[in-house]
Amino acid sequence: MTRRNMAEQVFQDAINTIRESQSELEKTISGYTGGILNKPLVDVLEDDNNLIVRADLPGFQKENISIDMGDYTLEIVALYQEDPLEDGSSYIKKERKYDEIKRVIELPEKIKADLAQATFNNGVLQIILPKLDKTIVDVE
C-alpha cells in the first residue's frame, strides 16, 4: 500500500466516523425535538367576525388532511403516505418520514363550527372559523 493510499484510507475512515457520529447526534436531537417537528407550524389571526388559522403542511395531499372542531378547540391531523417502490428497486438511503402529524389549537373564543371553511393551497391550510355572536344584555 502506498503512502497516498494509506492517507486516503485514514481520511476515509475519519469521514466515516464523523458520519456515524452525526447520525447518532441527529437521533439524539430528534428525541428532544420530535414533539416540535411532528406538529405543523400555525398562525392564528382574527378579524371582527372570524378566527383564521393558517397551518404549514408542505408535502401533504389535501385528501390526507383532516380537521376536527369543538367550541374552543381545533385539531389538524395530516398523514404522509409513502411512495410505493417499483418492482426490483430498493432504497440506498431513506430519510423521509412517513407518519402522521397532529396539532390541537386552543381557540380564544367559541366558534360556529358548522360554518367553518377550509382551503389548501401550496402547502398551506387556511381555516376560517366564524366567531359565535355575542349576546349583549342591557341592564335596566
Side-chain angles (χ1 to χ4, degrees):
M1 186 177 255
T2 66
R3 286 180 114 182
R4 179 180 173 98
N5 288 345
M6 288 175 56
E8 287 177 357
Q9 184 62 46
V10 168
F11 181 73
Q12 191 61 43
D13 289 345
I15 294 295
N16 289 339
T17 301
I18 291 169
R19 284 186 180 146
E20 289 171 10
S21 297
Q22 181 181 7
S23 177
E24 289 301 315
L25 179 61
E26 288 172 357
K27 288 178 187 175
T28 302
I29 290 172
S30 71
Y32 291 106
T33 61
I36 296 168
L37 298 177
N38 288 333
K39 294 181 180 180
L41 302 175
V42 299
D43 292 334
V44 180
L45 306 99
E46 74 174 320
D47 60 25
D48 291 339
N49 302 313
N50 302 297
L51 295 175
I52 301 159
V53 177
R54 293 186 186 129
D56 287 343
L57 297 170
F60 287 95
Q61 299 297 318
K62 180 171 65 171
E63 313 66 64
N64 297 331
I65 300 170
S66 65
I67 303 166
D68 188 29
M69 290 175 275
D71 289 337
Y72 289 98
T73 60
L74 173 71
E75 180 181 52
I76 301 168
V77 178
L79 176 67
Y80 279 116
Q81 288 193 327
E82 188 169 1
D83 300 326
L85 286 176
E86 295 180 18
D87 290 339
S89 62
S90 61
Y91 287 103
I92 295 170
K93 185 171 190 161
K94 185 175 179 188
E95 295 180 338
R96 295 168 56 205
K97 186 176 180 182
Y98 301 97
D99 200 358
E100 173 182 280
I101 64 171
K102 183 188 299 189
R103 183 75 184 259
V104 177
I105 302 156
E106 298 290 327
L107 302 173
E109 59 186 278
K110 267 189 161 183
I111 59 165
K112 299 176 188 175
D114 56 326
L115 297 178
Q117 298 176 343
T119 56
F120 185 64
N121 191 16
N122 292 330
V124 178
L125 175 67
Q126 178 170 290
I127 307 164
I128 299 175
L129 306 162
K131 296 178 183 178
L132 192 64
D133 297 328
K134 295 180 181 177
T135 304
I136 299 174
V137 177
D138 291 330
V139 178
E140 295 181 25

